[in-house]
Amino acid sequence: MHLVPDDLPRSPTGRVPQWIVEDRFLAPVLPPPRRRRGRGVWVVLLLVATLAGGWWVTGGAPADELTAAVDHVRGTPALPPPTADVVALADAAHLSEKGRQIFYTTRPQILDAAAFAGRCGDVGVSPRLGAGGRVGCYEPGSDSIVVYRPADPRVAGQAVTTAAHETLHAVWGRLTPAERAELTPILDAATAAVPADDDVHEQIAGSVGAHAENRPTEEFAYLGTQVDGLDPRLEAVYARYITDRPALVAVDTGLRDLLDGMAATITTASHALVDAENANGQARAQLTADRSSLEYYRQAYQSKADEVAAMSSGARSRLRLSWVWWDGTKLPMAPAEQTLASAAALIARDDAALAARDAPITAAAAAAAAERTRIDASVADLNALQDQMDPTAAH
């Protein structure tokens, strides 16, 4: 705070007129105004307000100097320029110049999970709920915004939606009471028109909690960022602050589509894998059963061959045998040695066939195991991505 110099003109009461103080401090950045007795101070203040307001539109250097000078006189710190991250979020949220002005005025903080911890749990904040909990908030008392930004760029859209959502809370607080009263029933009707299974109902209810008076601002923020095609009267208000609301809504929709698409892909692959594993299991079980059958017939053949070999040559020449093989192949009645020779040929045939069946079953089992590993990795990736969206899980 500056002390009033002794060389300034004073009134008969000993006080220095305010317009003289402002002339002294603002002279370096303002052209000498034309004064009319009794109204000079208002000319200066009007010019100051006009030029300071122009900083938001033009971003010119003279306006920066003027803002600092005005803040110096008023005793308030100058608003720092927005960071590159803040500007990038404003761009991605399609905020208009008016929307940016409000967003920047709230001195938004874009935080990672560690820095965000505990920042949006206070009473009086207007939080945005994500998939796993609070991901941002607007504090009306301090007119400040906090946004959690996930580390994984695939879900960076969550921070975009959150920034726009909290900006709309700040917008709602700046609307006139008449505007809020007019929009409240329109917001209620628009919310009721959203399909009952849409997550936005749960999000609104969670953010409102026990404070029913907050329902209009929560509806205004959630509908404005997540629901397209609203009442024209609502759209006209949103248009003041958002240049392309369908594109903003598409950010949230795209995020949902990403997660839903990943989940659907995992589900489809899992079902296909189960079918493949079942088929492979059945093929392996059948191969095992066929091998057991062949082994039984191999032993029967060997027993019969040993028995025939122990006979006298005369008995062997008179002996005739027939056989129905394990797979249904019929060996008609014939001399014993002929039938045994045919059975030996069937054993050799079956050994080769069963070995040939084993190779693709083994390969299919290896492919299924690899697919199971891939699906498990996809599940872990989806879980990690969802955890990234929840600052309490990511921290």
Side-chain angles (χ1 to χ4, degrees):
M1 178 177 179
H2 281 273
L3 296 176
V4 178
D6 291 335
D7 61 344
L8 293 181
R10 298 177 181 271
S11 68
T13 62
R15 297 182 61 189
V16 178
Q18 180 64 27
W19 67 268
I20 294 177
V21 175
E22 290 168 345
D23 265 356
R24 171 63 59 88
F25 287 112
L26 297 181
V29 294
L30 293 180
R34 294 182 179 181
R35 299 193 182 280
R36 293 176 59 187
R37 185 178 301 275
R39 298 184 61 187
V41 63
W42 299 112
V43 174
V44 174
L45 293 181
L46 178 60
L47 183 57
V48 168
T50 302
L51 292 179
W55 177 85
W56 293 104
V57 178
T58 66
D64 291 339
E65 298 173 3
L66 178 59
T67 300
V70 173
D71 287 334
H72 183 71
V73 172
R74 292 177 177 174
T76 59
L79 187 68
T83 65
D85 283 348
V86 169
V87 174
L89 275 186
D91 291 341
H94 301 279
L95 296 183
S96 68
E97 288 302 319
K98 194 169 186 178
R100 287 168 187 268
Q101 178 181 351
I102 293 175
F103 183 48
Y104 297 160
T105 299
T106 65
R107 305 170 306 284
Q109 300 179 63
I110 317 301
L111 307 177
D112 61 14
F116 183 80
R119 293 300 305 274
C120 288
D122 298 334
V123 176
V125 303
S126 297
R128 176 176 182 260
L129 299 183
R134 297 185 177 202
V135 295
C137 56
Y138 169 67
E139 210 292 307
S142 60
D143 192 32
S144 60
I145 285 176
V146 176
V147 175
Y148 164 63
R149 179 168 57 191
D152 195 309
R154 290 177 294 174
V155 289
Q158 176 174 272
V160 175
T161 301
T162 301
H165 176 104
E166 303 306 342
T167 299
L168 287 179
H169 278 310
V171 167
W172 182 263
R174 288 162 167 78
L175 296 178
T176 66
E179 284 179 306
R180 292 197 293 267
E182 178 187 0
L183 291 176
T184 295
I186 302 175
L187 287 165
D188 288 338
T191 302
V194 176
D197 61 348
D198 195 300
D199 291 344
V200 74
H201 292 289
E202 183 178 351
Q203 290 175 307
I204 291 173
S207 292
V208 170
H211 301 279
E213 69 278 8
N214 290 344
R215 186 171 183 82
T217 185
E218 297 300 345
E219 290 180 332
F220 185 70
Y222 278 107
L223 295 181
T225 55
Q226 297 179 211
V227 180
D228 201 3
L230 298 173
D231 187 295
R233 291 169 291 181
L234 270 178
E235 296 289 2
V237 175
Y238 288 134
R240 302 178 204 163
Y241 311 98
I242 302 168
T243 60
D244 191 344
R245 209 175 68 80
L248 172 61
V249 172
V251 173
D252 181 72
T253 303
L255 189 58
R256 293 167 185 260
D257 288 347
L258 169 66
L259 299 176
D260 290 345
M262 292 176 66
T265 298
I266 290 171
T267 299
T268 300
S270 297
H271 289 164
L273 177 59
V274 168
D275 291 343
E277 289 175 333
N278 287 340
N280 196 55
Q282 292 172 1
R284 175 62 66 184
Q286 186 62 56
L287 179 60
T288 300
D290 291 347
R291 279 176 167 163
S292 296
S293 297
L294 176 59
E295 192 59 33
Y296 176 83
Y297 273 74
R298 190 196 310 275
Q299 294 175 6
Y301 159 80
Q302 192 61 52
S303 295
K304 181 59 68 174
D306 291 344
E307 178 186 339
V308 171
M311 292 179 179
S312 65
S313 59
R316 283 199 305 271
S317 65
R318 292 190 300 271
L319 180 63
R320 299 175 68 81
L321 296 175
S322 67
W323 214 334
V324 178
W325 203 241
W326 66 271
D327 65 350
T329 301
K330 293 181 179 181
L331 300 179
M333 189 66 67
E337 290 182 346
Q338 179 181 338
T339 300
L340 289 173
S342 296
L346 290 177
I347 290 173
R349 180 204 69 177
D350 292 344
D351 278 337
L354 294 180
R357 285 168 57 189
D358 184 87
I361 294 174
T362 300
E371 177 66 355
R372 174 64 62 188
T373 299
R374 188 192 70 81
I375 291 174
D376 289 345
S378 295
V379 171
D381 184 39
L382 176 57
N383 288 337
L385 204 57
Q386 291 175 323
D387 285 345
Q388 275 291 318
M389 299 173 67
D390 178 4
T392 60
H395 178 40

